Amino acid sequence: MKTVQEEIRKGPWTEQEDFQLVCFVGLFGDRRWDFIAKVSGLNRTGKSCRLRWVNYLHPGLKGGKLSPQEERLVLELQSKWGNRWSRIARKLPGRTDNEIKNYWRTHMRKKAQEKKRAMPPSSPSSNCYSASCNPTDVSIPSTGTREEIFYDTTEWNTPASTDQKSNQMEKNEVIYSMDDIWKEIAFTEGKYINPGFDAYGGVGCDFSCPPVSSPSWEYSSDKIWQLDDEENMLPTMENNLFAHHEV
DNA sequence: AACCATGCCAACCGCACGATG
DNA sequence: CCATCGTGCGGTTGGCATGGT
């Protein structure tokens, strides 16, 4: 027998790898990650592939900074749901849980620091510094010894959390970002996957991607960011904010 | 100009859950 | 009903970029 995998690659993805991954997701859809990882010849784990796809390669991603509206929405939802990033992300079309998580982190860190500065050490529970003493100010629990405390939101009684998975992610056809790769794809469009692609040889394939036409890609456009049924109870902002997005 | 601190982002890890045999 | 596998999620970390001193 041979070594199962020579060595699993880690670390930053190369353009070539991205391109490969996009191709194979186009072919097989974005669910069988383990399979894709093997077949593609990328020496990556399925997990790694998925992550790369979801956070970076997915055509529906917006990229760029969060708009003020998005930021507000994040704050609002976070205060409502706690650190259910994937769930929150679903409310922000084109944003990933990772993005939101990162934003939240830095945002909260900033806030925490501001507060620290503003707060004389002995200052009691006077709190509410900014004129806007809103819930999104995510109070730093008074236990805040660790700096990360700001991050802790476990106290939110989140609704029966584990429903997240109910929402199956599907694909999105809108092409936004990932310029190079998608440009490439645009180039090669029309060059359907060549039959020379032998699934298990994988590597030999010249990666002329099929025009994104894998079965799974043809589902409704941004399922990822579609509402969870129970999330419809979602109140205020986002419906207004993103009502237009569905177009 | 060099160094340091901070911010931001991409990626990995471990755990939990659901599906399948 | 149980074990195993695959996937998704949240948390954490490391590296690069930028700004300040």
Side-chain angles (χ1 to χ4, degrees):
Chain A
M1 21 173 144
K2 44 171 69 171
T3 55
V4 183
Q5 268 135 339
E6 326 264 301
E7 86 248 51
I8 296 294
R9 269 182 59 77
K10 287 184 182 178
W13 284 65
T14 65
E15 262 181 57
Q16 171 68 18
E17 286 178 309
D18 281 345
F19 189 61
Q20 247 171 285
L21 180 57
V22 169
C23 288
F24 282 89
V25 171
L27 277 173
F28 300 112
D30 64 356
R31 299 208 61 86
R32 311 267 312 145
W33 292 114
D34 208 50
F35 176 73
I36 287 175
K38 279 192 194 107
V39 157
S40 64
L42 296 162
N43 284 328
R44 300 272 185 173
T45 64
K47 255 180 150 175
S48 179
C49 293
R50 175 186 162 270
L51 202 68
R52 183 63 178 171
W53 173 257
V54 169
N55 286 331
Y56 190 79
L57 298 176
H58 194 285
L61 296 178
K62 272 185 191 165
K65 283 178 68 85
L66 270 66
S67 71
Q69 291 97 329
E70 288 174 317
E71 291 180 4
R72 284 186 54 194
L73 183 53
V74 168
L75 295 179
E76 180 178 322
L77 294 180
Q78 203 284 338
S79 73
K80 193 177 314 277
W81 293 335
N83 300 355
R84 307 283 161 210
W85 304 120
S86 62
R87 189 170 179 175
I88 293 173
R90 268 178 241 139
K91 293 297 179 185
L92 290 124
R95 300 296 181 187
T96 69
D97 57 345
N98 213 26
E99 247 180 314
I100 293 170
K101 194 164 54 179
N102 283 334
Y103 162 74
W104 178 258
R105 260 184 83 86
T106 51
H107 174 87
M108 282 302 114
R109 181 181 295 149
K110 245 185 256 172
K111 270 241 148 86
Q113 281 175 350
E114 281 168 18
K115 285 194 176 183
K116 218 188 265 176
R117 266 185 227 119
M119 184 192 323
S122 57
S123 168
S125 51
S126 48
N127 54 35
C128 273
Y129 303 89
S130 50
S132 66
C133 176
N134 65 38
T136 60
D137 259 88
V138 182
S139 49
I140 298 172
S142 48
T143 52
T145 49
R146 299 176 315 159
E147 214 198 329
E148 289 82 8
I149 270 300
F150 69 82
Y151 202 51
D152 181 358
T153 56
T154 50
E155 49 177 318
W156 312 106
N157 45 345
T158 60
S161 45
T162 52
D163 44 333
Q164 313 139 356
K165 299 181 182 157
S166 57
N167 190 351
Q168 295 297 352
M169 307 213 296
E170 289 301 345
K171 354 288 99 108
N172 187 321
E173 294 186 283
V174 190
I175 296 183
Y176 270 64
S177 54
M178 223 198 98
D179 316 334
D180 294 339
I181 292 173
W182 288 109
K183 264 183 233 155
E184 275 270 19
I185 292 173
F187 257 141
T188 57
E189 192 154 354
K191 273 171 79 181
Y192 289 77
I193 231 33
N194 72 40
F197 159 73
D198 58 327
Y200 297 89
V203 202
C205 143
D206 73 348
F207 305 120
S208 34
C209 289
V212 195
S213 65
S214 95
S216 47
W217 283 47
E218 304 193 326
Y219 293 167
S220 67
S221 30
D222 30 23
K223 270 280 194 51
I224 285 189
W225 293 288
Q226 219 138 40
L227 300 183
D228 276 359
D229 19 38
E230 93 277 15
E231 284 171 0
N232 289 327
M233 58 190 182
L234 211 268
T236 53
M237 304 175 56
E238 81 272 356
N239 287 330
N240 311 326
L241 284 179
F242 298 112
H244 64 283
H245 180 82
E246 298 300 330
V247 194

